[in-house]
Amino acid sequence: MGDLGDLSWARVIVAAAVMAAALVIAVLLRLATGRLTRRAGDTRWAWDDLAARLIRDLAMPLAVLLGLWTAAKVLELPRGTLDVTARVLTAVTILVVSLALARLIAASVSSIALARQGVAANVTIFANITRVIVLGIGLLVMLQSIGVSITPLLGALGVGGLAVALALQDTLANLFAGVHVLASKTIEPGDYIKLSTGQEGYVVDINWRNTSIRTLSDNIEVIPNQRFSDTILTNYHRPAQDMSVLVYAKVHYEVDLDEVEELLVQVGHDVMKDVQGGVADSNVLVRFDDFNDATVGFHVILRSSEFGDQFAIKHEFLKRLHKVLRERGIAPPYWQHRVVVDEPARANGVPRKDELAL
């Protein structure tokens, strides 16, 4: 009996040593994977960051779980207790792996979206859907591993899912509307859009319920995804990101319009080359389009590489145009009204129609 007691204490001591070694290994793996993650973060390749993060998420928990299982084997627990321990450790392992894989796959989806849509992209809807699917599958596998039959659970989920769908019609409508918008590429993060209801700005994020847009005043407006399916939307980044910029101005009737057109084209090309956001190799078009009371109106058509750059382009163009016109001695088109008086008619005391109108 004494030998058996000594043997039991020896197993406990060995099991404790195994657990201590497992904890030490887990801490060392945590430190090593932390350094690996920092090294991966210094590279431009995104996939090594994801791999390093997966290793970091799995290394420490799996080391501890492996230590627990080894300690249980060393203790030579009764078969029933050992089976329960094995099921619990298996379930925890499945849960840990599911969480790590959900994080990895969601990050991969976000990385792919970022590569396709540019630096401004931030689409959480696909990442969230992917995370929920992976975690759901992992949860079902975990329940199956501990002996819970998932067949009745799936049937209950089917009936319950119908009830939930009826109760969450608006939420599901926003979810599918967001997926449809992204799949059809109507809008993408980074696009500048304007709705017929008046909201406009840069698309920041599209999640499972709403879309966030950043206005030019740096405020965030939140719009339900379903709104995009029943409203008129203008996307200023489609079919191309660069856009035309129309600048309206006027000149006197007395000036030479050919000379003015030449000046406008020259100033436009200078602005396109010097101002950030201008398209240097684009054509500058001038179109005289109306006669006013004392001036000829015209539009100058410039090109902007992005919606927000048009304001700086207009600003600089008008400044330079004003300076050039003054240097050339072309008077600015002040508003004026010319009155012609017929002296003989006034001498006879008969007012003219023009004078009555005035």
Side-chain angles (χ1 to χ4, degrees):
M1 296 295 292
D3 293 341
L4 291 175
D6 294 340
L7 181 60
S8 298
W9 278 110
R11 289 173 181 170
V12 171
I13 293 173
V14 173
V18 169
M19 281 304 306
L23 291 175
V24 171
I25 293 173
V27 172
L28 293 176
L29 288 174
R30 184 71 174 182
L31 295 175
T33 53
R35 179 176 296 182
L36 179 63
T37 303
R38 289 191 295 271
R39 292 279 303 271
D42 296 334
T43 63
R44 296 183 178 180
W45 198 43
W47 296 103
D48 58 347
D49 297 342
L50 300 178
R53 189 179 302 168
L54 177 64
I55 297 174
R56 185 178 183 182
D57 291 340
L58 292 178
M60 186 173 180
L62 292 183
V64 174
L65 291 172
L66 182 59
L68 288 172
W69 174 246
T70 305
K73 295 288 287 184
V74 169
L75 289 174
E76 295 184 0
L77 299 174
R79 185 169 184 82
T81 305
L82 190 62
D83 290 341
V84 173
T85 303
R87 289 185 178 183
V88 172
L89 293 179
T90 301
V92 175
T93 302
I94 294 174
L95 180 61
V96 169
V97 173
S98 298
L99 290 172
L101 288 178
R103 184 176 181 180
L104 173 67
I105 297 175
S108 301
V109 171
S110 299
S111 180
I112 293 173
L114 181 66
R116 289 183 60 252
Q117 300 168 349
V119 179
N122 183 16
V123 182
T124 60
I125 183 171
F126 289 144
N128 290 335
I129 291 175
T130 304
R131 187 180 292 110
V132 169
I133 292 175
V134 174
L135 289 177
I137 295 175
L139 180 62
L140 293 177
V141 174
M142 183 187 70
L143 293 176
Q144 186 72 26
S145 68
I146 60 178
V148 177
S149 178
I150 63 174
T151 302
L153 182 60
L154 292 176
L157 288 176
V159 177
L162 180 60
V164 171
L166 293 175
L168 301 177
Q169 293 184 21
D170 293 339
T171 301
L172 292 177
N174 286 319
L175 172 63
F176 289 115
V179 174
H180 172 71
V181 166
L182 289 173
S184 62
K185 295 184 178 181
T186 304
I187 59 173
E188 292 180 349
D191 291 351
Y192 190 93
I193 63 172
K194 182 177 181 179
L195 304 182
S196 59
T197 52
Q199 295 85 2
E200 61 178 295
Y202 291 96
V203 178
V204 177
D205 183 28
I206 304 174
N207 58 35
W208 60 276
R209 182 174 177 80
N210 50 55
T211 297
S212 301
I213 62 174
R214 177 175 55 86
T215 64
L216 293 178
S217 58
D218 279 337
N219 296 318
I220 297 296
E221 292 187 353
V222 180
I223 304 171
N225 292 332
Q226 193 177 6
R227 178 68 60 85
F228 294 106
S229 62
D230 56 7
T231 189
I232 300 175
L233 180 148
T234 302
N235 190 337
Y236 290 94
H237 283 195
R238 295 289 182 272
Q241 185 170 342
D242 59 322
M243 55 176 291
S244 297
V245 179
L246 275 67
V247 183
Y248 182 75
K250 303 175 182 178
V251 291
H252 275 300
Y253 284 117
E254 290 78 6
V255 301
D256 186 349
L257 295 184
D258 291 330
E259 179 184 359
V260 171
E261 182 175 2
E262 182 179 350
L263 289 176
L264 294 172
V265 173
Q266 180 180 352
V267 173
H269 281 301
D270 292 340
V271 171
M272 290 292 94
K273 294 177 182 178
D274 299 340
V275 179
Q276 181 180 359
V279 182
D281 57 349
S282 63
N283 293 325
V284 177
L285 302 178
V286 179
R287 295 294 181 263
F288 296 99
D289 52 14
D290 64 7
F291 291 105
N292 298 304
D293 290 341
T295 59
V296 179
F298 60 87
H299 280 95
V300 179
I301 305 175
L302 309 173
R303 297 292 293 180
S304 171
S305 60
E306 206 274 331
F307 183 88
D309 295 330
Q310 63 174 315
F311 306 104
I313 292 175
K314 289 181 179 180
H315 168 78
E316 191 63 27
F317 178 81
L318 290 176
K319 283 177 57 179
R320 297 191 182 190
L321 177 61
H322 181 262
K323 181 179 180 181
V324 170
L325 291 179
R326 291 184 63 184
E327 291 175 351
R328 295 295 182 93
I330 301 177
Y334 296 115
W335 183 88
Q336 58 182 333
H337 199 130
R338 179 178 298 178
V339 178
V340 179
V341 179
D342 190 344
E343 293 297 336
R346 288 186 61 87
N348 296 330
V350 180
R352 290 178 50 84
K353 294 181 179 180
D354 291 345
E355 292 178 336
L356 290 177
L358 290 174

